[in-house]
Amino acid sequence: MVAQKLRVGIAGLGRMGKRHAINFHELTARANVVAASTPDHNEREWAAENLQGVQIFQDYDEMLEKADLEAVVIASITAVHAEQALKAIKKGLHVLCEKPLSIDVEVAQSVVSAYEQSLKTYPQQKVMCAFSRRFDASYREAHARVEKGEFGSPVLFRSQTADLYDSSGFFVEYAKTSGGIFVDCSIHDIDLMLWFLGENRKIKSLQAVGVCAVHPGLEASNDRDNAIATVEFEGGKIAALYCSRMMAAGQEDTSEIICEKGSVRVNLQVRKNHVEIHDSHGARRELPQHYYERFREAFITEAYEFTACCLDNIPPPISLQSSVKAVSIGQALQRSLISGEKIYFDGRAIKN
Amino acid sequence: MVAQKLRVGIAGLGRMGKRHAINFHELTARANVVAASTPDHNEREWAAENLQGVQIFQDYDEMLEKADLEAVVIASITAVHAEQALKAIKKGLHVLCEKPLSIDVEVAQSVVSAYEQSLKTYPQQKVMCAFSRRFDASYREAHARVEKGEFGSPVLFRSQTADLYDSSGFFVEYAKTSGGIFVDCSIHDIDLMLWFLGENRKIKSLQAVGVCAVHPGLEASNDRDNAIATVEFEGGKIAALYCSRMMAAGQEDTSEIICEKGSVRVNLQVRKNHVEIHDSHGARRELPQHYYERFREAFITEAYEFTACCLDNIPPPISLQSSVKAVSIGQALQRSLISGEKIYFDGRAIKN
Amino acid sequence: MVAQKLRVGIAGLGRMGKRHAINFHELTARANVVAASTPDHNEREWAAENLQGVQIFQDYDEMLEKADLEAVVIASITAVHAEQALKAIKKGLHVLCEKPLSIDVEVAQSVVSAYEQSLKTYPQQKVMCAFSRRFDASYREAHARVEKGEFGSPVLFRSQTADLYDSSGFFVEYAKTSGGIFVDCSIHDIDLMLWFLGENRKIKSLQAVGVCAVHPGLEASNDRDNAIATVEFEGGKIAALYCSRMMAAGQEDTSEIICEKGSVRVNLQVRKNHVEIHDSHGARRELPQHYYERFREAFITEAYEFTACCLDNIPPPISLQSSVKAVSIGQALQRSLISGEKIYFDGRAIKN
Amino acid sequence: MVAQKLRVGIAGLGRMGKRHAINFHELTARANVVAASTPDHNEREWAAENLQGVQIFQDYDEMLEKADLEAVVIASITAVHAEQALKAIKKGLHVLCEKPLSIDVEVAQSVVSAYEQSLKTYPQQKVMCAFSRRFDASYREAHARVEKGEFGSPVLFRSQTADLYDSSGFFVEYAKTSGGIFVDCSIHDIDLMLWFLGENRKIKSLQAVGVCAVHPGLEASNDRDNAIATVEFEGGKIAALYCSRMMAAGQEDTSEIICEKGSVRVNLQVRKNHVEIHDSHGARRELPQHYYERFREAFITEAYEFTACCLDNIPPPISLQSSVKAVSIGQALQRSLISGEKIYFDGRAIKN
């Protein structure tokens, strides 16, 4: 008897789409990429060359209609995430959607509702937002240790996403549709914050300040290139976030969970690999240059585990509702960043 | 010709006073401790044994009157710092005063005024608040590199003072008079923040949140054992602070200065010394157990440089006004911590 | 047109065989494991469960005869490596053989001769010994930097293979057939030494000393559990090696290449992942517990690149002759370790 | 009652002499430098300016005769160490002599004999060789942990002294009288080796190889700029040493003590201070540029403890005999380095 392989379609073959396609196609034994869709001609050419035996579509709807799919991986532009997810959900397909579901919380929430509705018809359907850091081995070890109570209760979650400086103007262009640095960059830290401090934990207040230090063009989109925030939860937990588009040495994505009796930190000593050099610049090591260099293994694990949860009918590793909550917190932080106001919650303002 | 040695009196011989006494007495070649005063009997006994050839007084005023002093080092309890400083200033003595001058900003400011007045009579008089971290070799290297513009303009200053957990109830007792965690602990980070971002830079807003995680008794003194803050300066600078009384492994005092083209960090990889152990607990190193273990060398340098500035009539390494500003910021953060309100400045509320 | 996949057979499904089987079967897109052979009943059961669609044989010869193979991966016990390799070579199959080819240099050399002979008939045939560390990203970066001359000429190569202490008696049992600690453990360091200092560089002398510190039973097999060696090459290069079976914290495989104008080191700060913990044991991190935890990625890359060199007819990344030279150096070190004699070479004693 | 201060004379005011003079004069509360001697005119001028109240002599003998000394610190050129020590010993003075006592073992041994003889007349006399690293806080912690048996018995001692590359020709000039790299550089590692593995432990064999990589002029003095050695002790202990004059980034003096159940390492992650920089060269830190930058604190502790052992009549922290043994091992290693021969001991060849 030959084990069934999950029949996957990839929507979008940009930077992330290509990676998901390769990961599912070549490195996920239990999955078969059978189709991919992209409106971009060059991306379809890339697929023809690199995705052997895969049907290529120009149109997402056509792929859904014609390809024999069990699951879709949505890696298109953010603007169509929700729409594509909704269509796939309605057909009963499993969905792995790149983050964020939407930069509009209402829209994001509508995907959750559609999924909840759909589960009545397709009780084994899995829909999950792709928060890759939850699949990183180091974050998982940190989380397991904290969950086990190794250090007592967590008190402070401190985390940052800090991108390498890019002089091409990319960040300014990108800010026009990204939803802002807290929705785009910090969304990962926010997701981790919920994972470590509790997805159902209510927020009491949050606040952010920031500057445009090296990308003045961001002002026009109500965005900043460096920002810091504090978040206050009920139950005696606090969080401090930092996001930046200005790092000189590489990607510096770090987290600390400070608990009553100890702390665990992930990647505080940022490094690309096991190499260290001693020369006239001192003792030095290189940093990863972008998030994928840091998190490639996590993406592969994500593909593997999403596939397993679909095939084996086990719960998705990340709850869809928490992904909407993350967007909602990101947006509130972005509002505070721009308005300068601290935001207090009475339990309604933010979806707690 | 024999070079003159600075004739120093030490006020207070508690934990810090003893250290200052030994540092000036034994390790500062150009200073002579000629007198010391303390109301505490045991401390006077310690002095009789350990401070050879030094006149010991029970009363500070008597010491000022009878001993042949050029300078005093004030290491008494915080409550009398200002009063003792004022008396010494009036006599034209040089003063090195432990931080803070006072937990009351008005009182602290009155010391500055008295000093300014006194300079008309004693133009060579030096009065300085003992912010020891400014004398730490690593902080100095960091500051020199930033000042030199090695990394472009500083954007974010991030710093923490985090004490080892103490189960004796000391912190709760201490909180009754300390002025709060931001005035007591973070005062060093605030002083460094002013040093790195500019002592004359105006603050736009600040905000803090915190919790009582392991010392619930602090609530009664309107204090917390873990707190985080953000500070927003004019001119596009921001700062993030963390203070804690809960560390499991030791004293974790760290700072980062993130600039446009690079960053410099001090003590991020906290360590006591050059020892590393590999055993069944993994690869590990110990941390300093308290601030003096980390900063002992800085205190010795402080003694040395304060002496030099008195004898050679060169400007004190730290401006007295900036020390008052640090207290004022610390108090504002403490207010925000307790009230939950973000505080905005129009240039008057805080002494900018 | 569907791209051809390399049809691979796996010989031996012990600890390493299982890993190679999974790596080629699931993580090497251009390879298909079509057959596997093992005399062990349990291993065949494992295969039936885990190697879907793969023909399972009890007998290696039968697999060679009946399965439609292009390549074999030999992961059997060392004693049959050479024999199995010779049979596959004669059939014109590509061969990836676990190290060492043989602990007998003459036998190992006979495999090289057979391969050289076979190339006349099968000019595209690839035969390679599996020195996995050459595929590790960090070693590769180090090697590329040295090759590029970034630090001038290499002078000293220093390297160690140090295994976690095992209290089960495994090392004592294993020593009966392993060829000794320099042939078994240090063979990787020796291979890297040749890679970094030059595979054709002649050795002038070598020497080793060692002890049985924690596994006294090794004496009976003329082996040791800790040993250090020096190797002197012509052309002004030296090397220092250390091997151990006694580490308390984990696998500590480290290397340094000290060049005229700088040095590059791999894994000197041994770590399992990006997690660091601060608790009552200090600041600490865990180490990998065995070599596969450290080098898993390198094994996957090895599978990928061996497959590519077979399919694309490009030269194997490691020369077979250098693998024999490594065994020959390992044996000479082991002789010196036991005899206590320094060994000098006139160009014949060791296959230089 | 005023406590007695040790009356110290400094012989030699070169680089090391100046440091000892300042350390004893300014930073050792219980010592008074009362005299100093040096044949060098510039050094005497330096003393006139920097050693206030100290009698300056051109001639060592005259200083011994005329100054009222209790102790001498010998920091002259190595060639006169033994002679000056002998003269002071005969006068009953305490002696702290810079290493090595002599590069001639017989001469060094004659100092030990003279001291043993002198003790009959002056039973409280202290004579000690200045092996500063034994006073380093990190080495002390490592030694205390090993002594306490925290990791079981030590098995391997691995240590290196590696100097920053110097392009001035200094090392070549210096090699003419230094006794060779093992006597000059490695003497510290050898001293530590004896300290950690046992000063009375007998050596079975030793062996060294080396090269002239960047200072070809060393050949003329039978010296090398990079060398590695192995030492085999009775009782199942081994040691590996490395010495170099070629480091690109700074002084790299590191040691590891690998024991049965754990290991302790000193300074493996070489660093100048607590600063780390992230910029376009990666994440980096600086190294100390010379041994004094690394060991300054140890020299001050040495001055303090030598003074205390003289005043309080407690045993010197380092046995004089072990210092001679260190020279003897250094010389044997240097002989092996040049001859290429492994040296075996029957208990007579080396002073065990």
Side-chain angles (χ1 to χ4, degrees):
Chain A
M1 190 207 72
V2 169
Q4 192 197 350
K5 293 199 174 194
L6 187 72
R7 295 188 307 279
V8 176
I10 311 286
L13 292 171
R15 199 173 44 167
M16 271 317 304
K18 287 190 181 77
R19 288 164 180 163
H20 280 300
I22 294 291
N23 290 348
F24 275 92
H25 198 54
E26 301 193 351
L27 300 170
T28 306
R30 301 178 70 194
N32 257 348
V33 175
V34 297
S37 74
T38 169
D40 184 287
H41 178 68
N42 291 327
E43 292 176 13
R44 287 199 303 277
E45 283 203 338
W46 175 88
E49 238 174 275
N50 291 279
L51 300 177
Q52 196 172 57
V54 173
Q55 274 184 287
I56 313 297
F57 295 90
Q58 182 166 351
D59 183 57
Y60 175 75
D61 295 350
E62 200 187 339
M63 176 174 77
L64 283 204
E65 195 186 326
K66 297 193 177 158
D68 181 20
L69 299 178
E70 291 169 291
V72 291
V73 175
I74 300 175
S76 333
I77 56 169
T78 298
V80 300
H81 281 181
E83 180 196 330
Q84 293 189 336
L86 286 168
K87 286 175 178 168
I89 287 169
K90 269 176 207 147
K91 293 197 59 133
L93 299 181
H94 305 300
V95 177
L96 177 67
C97 183
E98 258 308 315
K99 62 91 199 164
L101 277 175
S102 167
I103 61 171
D104 180 316
V105 178
E106 299 307 312
V107 172
Q109 189 58 40
S110 74
V111 178
V112 180
S113 306
Y115 176 37
E116 283 165 359
Q117 199 58 34
S118 181
L119 278 171
K120 294 174 189 162
T121 317
Y122 309 105
Q124 302 201 352
Q125 189 179 30
K126 314 298 173 195
V127 180
M128 186 178 103
C129 203
F131 279 107
S132 46
R133 287 177 208 186
R134 292 217 198 181
F135 300 89
D136 175 65
S138 296
Y139 274 108
R140 287 186 156 193
E141 178 181 329
H143 192 263
R145 286 175 178 274
V146 170
E147 282 296 290
K148 211 167 53 177
E150 212 170 299
F151 317 110
S153 281
V155 173
L156 170 65
F157 177 78
R158 184 156 56 170
S159 194
Q160 71 178 43
T161 296
D163 292 338
L164 182 65
Y165 175 72
D166 176 312
S167 63
S168 73
F170 168 79
F171 288 133
V172 172
E173 190 55 32
Y174 186 53
K176 293 174 183 167
T177 58
S178 73
I181 193 166
F182 278 111
V183 174
D184 181 54
C185 255
S186 299
I187 197 79
H188 290 290
D189 303 294
I190 296 167
D191 175 62
L192 293 168
M193 174 177 79
L194 293 173
W195 195 35
F196 276 95
L197 299 186
E199 294 179 358
N200 298 316
R201 189 171 295 280
K202 283 195 164 45
I203 289 177
K204 291 167 69 179
S205 76
L206 55 77
Q207 184 267 162
V209 293
V211 296
C212 282
V214 293
H215 302 293
L218 292 172
E219 296 271 7
S221 303
N222 269 338
D223 208 359
R224 302 289 182 264
D225 55 22
N226 282 270
I228 48 178
T230 60
V231 185
E232 192 185 10
F233 288 86
E234 293 196 348
K237 318 281 184 204
I238 49 180
L241 306 178
Y242 173 46
C243 45
S244 177
R245 309 284 202 188
M246 189 186 74
M247 293 296 103
Q251 185 81 18
E252 304 200 22
D253 294 351
T254 68
S255 303
E256 295 168 85
I257 305 95
I258 302 179
C259 306
E260 291 168 353
K261 294 173 188 168
S263 62
V264 56
R265 54 236 19 237
V266 176
N267 203 28
L268 264 279
Q269 250 210 302
V270 194
R271 57 175 64 240
K272 188 179 79 178
N273 57 21
H274 294 285
V275 172
E276 195 175 55
I277 290 165
H278 288 200
D279 64 8
S280 60
H281 300 295
R284 63 197 179 97
R285 59 181 194 277
E286 293 194 342
L287 273 61
Q289 296 301 291
H290 48 74
Y291 74 97
Y292 197 73
E293 196 175 350
R294 165 69 181 85
F295 290 108
R296 176 180 176 269
E297 285 301 302
F299 279 94
I300 295 171
T301 304
E302 182 184 70
Y304 180 87
E305 297 199 3
F306 173 72
T307 299
C309 91
C310 296
L311 290 176
D312 304 339
N313 190 27
I314 50 179
I318 304 174
S319 102
L320 195 62
Q321 185 62 68
S322 82
S323 300
V324 177
K325 184 168 179 179
V327 172
S328 142
I329 296 171
Q331 284 189 331
L333 285 167
Q334 192 74 14
R335 280 202 309 278
S336 174
L337 172 66
I338 300 310
S339 72
E341 300 299 319
K342 184 166 180 174
I343 301 178
Y344 303 87
F345 297 92
D346 60 358
R348 282 172 305 164
I350 206 165
K351 182 146 191 96
N352 261 315
Chain B
M1 193 205 72
V2 169
Q4 193 196 352
K5 293 199 174 194
L6 188 72
R7 296 188 305 281
V8 176
I10 311 286
L13 292 172
R15 199 173 45 167
M16 270 317 304
K18 288 189 181 76
R19 288 164 180 162
H20 280 300
I22 294 291
N23 290 348
F24 275 91
H25 199 53
E26 301 193 351
L27 300 170
T28 307
R30 301 179 71 192
N32 257 349
V33 175
V34 297
S37 75
T38 168
D40 185 287
H41 179 69
N42 292 327
E43 292 175 13
R44 288 200 302 278
E45 284 202 337
W46 175 87
E49 237 174 275
N50 292 279
L51 299 178
Q52 197 172 57
V54 173
Q55 275 183 284
I56 313 297
F57 297 90
Q58 181 167 351
D59 183 58
Y60 175 75
D61 295 350
E62 202 188 336
M63 176 173 76
L64 282 204
E65 197 185 323
K66 298 194 178 158
D68 181 21
L69 299 178
E70 292 170 291
V72 291
V73 174
I74 299 175
S76 334
I77 56 169
T78 298
V80 301
H81 282 180
E83 180 196 328
Q84 294 189 337
L86 286 168
K87 286 175 179 168
I89 288 169
K90 268 174 208 149
K91 291 195 61 129
L93 300 180
H94 305 299
V95 179
L96 177 66
C97 183
E98 258 307 316
K99 61 92 199 165
L101 277 176
S102 167
I103 61 172
D104 180 316
V105 177
E106 299 306 311
V107 173
Q109 189 59 40
S110 74
V111 179
V112 179
S113 306
Y115 176 37
E116 282 166 0
Q117 198 58 35
S118 182
L119 278 171
K120 293 174 189 162
T121 316
Y122 309 106
Q124 302 200 355
Q125 189 178 30
K126 313 299 174 196
V127 180
M128 187 177 102
C129 204
F131 279 106
S132 47
R133 289 179 205 184
R134 292 218 200 181
F135 299 90
D136 176 65
S138 296
Y139 275 107
R140 287 187 157 194
E141 179 182 328
H143 191 264
R145 286 175 177 275
V146 169
E147 281 298 288
K148 212 166 53 177
E150 211 169 301
F151 316 110
S153 281
V155 173
L156 170 66
F157 176 79
R158 184 156 56 170
S159 195
Q160 70 178 43
T161 295
D163 292 339
L164 181 66
Y165 175 72
D166 175 311
S167 63
S168 72
F170 168 79
F171 288 133
V172 172
E173 190 54 32
Y174 186 54
K176 294 173 183 168
T177 59
S178 74
I181 194 166
F182 277 112
V183 174
D184 181 56
C185 255
S186 300
I187 197 78
H188 290 291
D189 303 294
I190 295 168
D191 175 62
L192 293 169
M193 174 177 80
L194 293 173
W195 194 34
F196 276 95
L197 299 186
E199 294 179 358
N200 299 315
R201 190 170 295 279
K202 285 195 162 47
I203 289 178
K204 292 167 69 179
S205 76
L206 53 78
Q207 184 269 163
V209 294
V211 297
C212 282
V214 293
H215 302 294
L218 292 172
E219 295 271 6
S221 303
N222 268 337
D223 209 359
R224 302 289 181 264
D225 56 20
N226 281 270
I228 48 178
T230 60
V231 185
E232 192 186 12
F233 288 86
E234 293 197 346
K237 318 283 183 202
I238 49 179
L241 305 177
Y242 173 47
C243 45
S244 177
R245 310 286 201 185
M246 189 187 74
M247 293 297 103
Q251 185 80 19
E252 304 200 22
D253 295 351
T254 68
S255 302
E256 294 169 85
I257 305 95
I258 302 178
C259 305
E260 291 168 354
K261 292 171 188 168
S263 62
V264 56
R265 57 243 5 246
V266 176
N267 203 29
L268 264 278
Q269 251 210 303
V270 195
R271 56 176 62 239
K272 186 179 81 178
N273 57 20
H274 293 285
V275 172
E276 196 175 54
I277 289 166
H278 287 199
D279 64 8
S280 59
H281 300 293
R284 61 197 181 97
R285 58 182 195 275
E286 294 195 343
L287 272 60
Q289 296 301 290
H290 47 73
Y291 75 94
Y292 197 73
E293 195 175 351
R294 165 67 182 87
F295 289 109
R296 177 180 176 270
E297 285 301 302
F299 279 94
I300 294 170
T301 303
E302 184 184 68
Y304 180 88
E305 296 200 2
F306 173 72
T307 300
C309 92
C310 296
L311 290 176
D312 304 340
N313 190 27
I314 50 180
I318 303 175
S319 101
L320 196 61
Q321 186 60 72
S322 82
S323 301
V324 177
K325 184 167 179 178
V327 172
S328 141
I329 295 171
Q331 285 189 329
L333 286 167
Q334 192 75 14
R335 279 202 309 278
S336 173
L337 173 65
I338 300 308
S339 71
E341 299 300 318
K342 184 167 181 172
I343 301 177
Y344 303 87
F345 297 92
D346 62 357
R348 283 171 303 164
I350 206 166
K351 181 137 191 104
N352 261 315
Chain C
M1 190 205 75
V2 170
Q4 193 197 350
K5 292 199 176 195
L6 187 72
R7 296 187 307 278
V8 176
I10 311 286
L13 291 172
R15 198 173 46 166
M16 271 317 304
K18 286 190 182 75
R19 288 163 178 164
H20 280 300
I22 294 290
N23 291 348
F24 274 92
H25 199 54
E26 301 192 352
L27 301 170
T28 306
R30 302 178 70 193
N32 257 349
V33 175
V34 297
S37 75
T38 169
D40 184 286
H41 178 69
N42 292 327
E43 292 176 12
R44 287 199 304 278
E45 283 201 339
W46 176 89
E49 239 174 275
N50 292 280
L51 300 178
Q52 194 172 58
V54 172
Q55 276 184 285
I56 314 296
F57 296 90
Q58 180 167 352
D59 183 60
Y60 175 76
D61 295 351
E62 202 187 336
M63 174 174 78
L64 283 203
E65 196 184 324
K66 297 191 178 162
D68 181 21
L69 299 178
E70 290 169 293
V72 290
V73 175
I74 299 175
S76 334
I77 56 169
T78 299
V80 301
H81 282 180
E83 180 196 329
Q84 293 189 338
L86 286 168
K87 285 175 179 171
I89 287 169
K90 266 175 208 149
K91 291 197 60 131
L93 299 180
H94 306 299
V95 178
L96 177 66
C97 184
E98 259 307 316
K99 62 94 200 162
L101 277 175
S102 166
I103 61 171
D104 180 318
V105 178
E106 299 307 311
V107 172
Q109 189 57 40
S110 74
V111 178
V112 180
S113 306
Y115 176 39
E116 282 166 358
Q117 198 59 34
S118 182
L119 277 172
K120 293 175 189 161
T121 316
Y122 309 106
Q124 302 200 352
Q125 189 179 30
K126 312 299 173 194
V127 180
M128 188 179 102
C129 203
F131 278 106
S132 46
R133 288 178 206 187
R134 293 217 198 183
F135 298 90
D136 176 66
S138 296
Y139 274 108
R140 286 186 159 194
E141 179 182 327
H143 192 264
R145 285 175 179 274
V146 170
E147 281 296 291
K148 211 167 53 176
E150 213 170 298
F151 316 109
S153 281
V155 173
L156 170 66
F157 177 80
R158 184 156 55 168
S159 196
Q160 71 178 44
T161 295
D163 292 338
L164 181 66
Y165 175 72
D166 176 312
S167 63
S168 72
F170 168 78
F171 288 134
V172 172
E173 191 54 35
Y174 186 53
K176 293 175 183 167
T177 58
S178 75
I181 194 165
F182 277 112
V183 174
D184 181 56
C185 255
S186 299
I187 197 79
H188 289 291
D189 304 293
I190 295 168
D191 175 61
L192 292 170
M193 174 177 81
L194 294 172
W195 195 35
F196 276 95
L197 299 185
E199 294 180 357
N200 299 316
R201 189 170 295 279
K202 283 194 163 49
I203 288 177
K204 291 168 70 179
S205 76
L206 55 78
Q207 184 269 163
V209 293
V211 296
C212 282
V214 293
H215 302 294
L218 291 172
E219 295 271 7
S221 303
N222 269 337
D223 208 359
R224 302 289 182 265
D225 56 20
N226 281 270
I228 47 178
T230 61
V231 184
E232 192 185 12
F233 287 87
E234 293 196 347
K237 316 282 184 206
I238 49 180
L241 305 177
Y242 172 47
C243 43
S244 176
R245 309 285 202 187
M246 188 186 75
M247 293 297 103
Q251 185 81 18
E252 303 199 23
D253 295 350
T254 68
S255 303
E256 294 168 86
I257 304 94
I258 302 178
C259 305
E260 290 168 354
K261 292 171 189 169
S263 63
V264 57
R265 56 235 17 238
V266 176
N267 203 28
L268 264 279
Q269 250 209 303
V270 194
R271 57 176 62 241
K272 186 179 81 178
N273 57 21
H274 293 284
V275 172
E276 196 174 52
I277 289 165
H278 287 201
D279 64 9
S280 60
H281 300 296
R284 62 199 180 95
R285 59 182 194 275
E286 294 195 341
L287 274 60
Q289 296 300 293
H290 48 73
Y291 75 96
Y292 198 72
E293 197 175 351
R294 165 68 181 88
F295 289 109
R296 176 180 175 270
E297 285 301 301
F299 279 93
I300 294 171
T301 304
E302 182 184 71
Y304 180 88
E305 296 201 2
F306 172 73
T307 299
C309 93
C310 296
L311 289 176
D312 303 339
N313 191 28
I314 50 180
I318 304 174
S319 102
L320 196 62
Q321 186 61 69
S322 82
S323 300
V324 176
K325 185 168 177 177
V327 172
S328 141
I329 294 171
Q331 285 190 329
L333 285 167
Q334 192 73 14
R335 279 202 309 278
S336 173
L337 173 65
I338 300 309
S339 72
E341 301 298 320
K342 185 167 181 174
I343 301 178
Y344 303 87
F345 296 93
D346 60 358
R348 283 172 303 163
I350 207 167
K351 182 142 192 99
N352 262 314
Chain D
M1 190 206 77
V2 170
Q4 194 196 350
K5 292 200 174 193
L6 188 72
R7 297 189 305 279
V8 176
I10 311 286
L13 292 171
R15 199 172 45 166
M16 270 318 303
K18 286 190 183 75
R19 287 163 180 164
H20 280 301
I22 293 291
N23 290 348
F24 275 91
H25 199 53
E26 301 193 351
L27 301 170
T28 306
R30 302 179 71 195
N32 258 349
V33 175
V34 296
S37 75
T38 168
D40 184 287
H41 179 70
N42 292 328
E43 292 175 12
R44 287 199 304 278
E45 285 203 338
W46 175 89
E49 237 173 278
N50 291 280
L51 300 178
Q52 196 173 55
V54 173
Q55 275 185 284
I56 313 296
F57 296 90
Q58 180 167 355
D59 183 58
Y60 176 76
D61 296 350
E62 202 187 336
M63 174 173 77
L64 284 203
E65 195 185 325
K66 297 192 178 161
D68 181 20
L69 299 178
E70 292 170 291
V72 291
V73 174
I74 299 175
S76 335
I77 56 169
T78 298
V80 301
H81 282 182
E83 181 197 328
Q84 294 189 337
L86 286 168
K87 286 176 179 168
I89 287 169
K90 268 175 207 149
K91 290 196 61 129
L93 300 180
H94 305 299
V95 178
L96 176 66
C97 183
E98 258 307 316
K99 61 92 198 165
L101 277 175
S102 166
I103 61 172
D104 180 316
V105 178
E106 300 306 313
V107 172
Q109 189 58 40
S110 75
V111 179
V112 179
S113 307
Y115 177 38
E116 283 166 357
Q117 199 58 36
S118 181
L119 278 172
K120 294 173 189 161
T121 315
Y122 309 106
Q124 301 200 353
Q125 190 179 31
K126 313 298 174 196
V127 180
M128 187 178 102
C129 203
F131 278 106
S132 46
R133 288 178 207 186
R134 291 217 199 183
F135 299 89
D136 175 66
S138 295
Y139 274 108
R140 287 185 158 196
E141 179 181 328
H143 191 263
R145 286 175 178 275
V146 169
E147 281 297 289
K148 209 167 54 176
E150 213 170 298
F151 317 109
S153 282
V155 173
L156 170 66
F157 177 79
R158 184 157 55 170
S159 197
Q160 71 178 43
T161 295
D163 292 339
L164 181 66
Y165 176 71
D166 176 312
S167 63
S168 73
F170 169 78
F171 288 134
V172 172
E173 191 54 33
Y174 186 53
K176 292 175 183 167
T177 59
S178 74
I181 194 166
F182 277 112
V183 174
D184 181 56
C185 255
S186 299
I187 198 79
H188 289 291
D189 304 293
I190 295 167
D191 175 61
L192 293 169
M193 173 177 81
L194 293 172
W195 195 35
F196 276 96
L197 298 185
E199 293 180 357
N200 298 316
R201 190 170 295 281
K202 284 196 162 46
I203 289 177
K204 292 167 68 178
S205 76
L206 56 75
Q207 184 268 162
V209 295
V211 296
C212 282
V214 293
H215 302 293
L218 292 172
E219 295 271 7
S221 303
N222 268 339
D223 208 357
R224 303 288 181 266
D225 56 20
N226 281 271
I228 48 178
T230 60
V231 184
E232 193 186 11
F233 287 87
E234 294 197 347
K237 316 282 184 204
I238 50 180
L241 306 177
Y242 172 47
C243 44
S244 176
R245 310 285 203 186
M246 189 185 74
M247 293 297 103
Q251 186 80 19
E252 304 198 23
D253 295 350
T254 67
S255 302
E256 294 168 86
I257 305 93
I258 302 178
C259 304
E260 291 167 353
K261 293 170 188 168
S263 62
V264 56
R265 57 237 15 241
V266 177
N267 203 29
L268 263 280
Q269 249 208 305
V270 195
R271 56 176 62 240
K272 186 179 81 178
N273 57 20
H274 293 284
V275 172
E276 195 174 55
I277 290 165
H278 287 200
D279 65 8
S280 60
H281 300 295
R284 61 197 181 96
R285 58 182 194 276
E286 293 196 342
L287 274 60
Q289 296 301 291
H290 47 74
Y291 75 97
Y292 198 72
E293 197 175 350
R294 165 67 182 86
F295 290 108
R296 176 180 176 271
E297 285 300 302
F299 279 93
I300 294 170
T301 304
E302 183 184 71
Y304 180 88
E305 296 200 3
F306 173 72
T307 299
C309 91
C310 296
L311 289 175
D312 304 339
N313 190 28
I314 50 180
I318 305 175
S319 101
L320 196 62
Q321 186 60 70
S322 82
S323 300
V324 177
K325 184 167 177 178
V327 172
S328 140
I329 296 171
Q331 285 189 329
L333 285 168
Q334 192 74 14
R335 280 203 306 280
S336 173
L337 173 65
I338 301 308
S339 71
E341 300 298 319
K342 185 167 182 173
I343 301 178
Y344 303 87
F345 296 94
D346 60 0
R348 283 172 302 163
I350 206 165
K351 181 137 192 104
N352 262 312

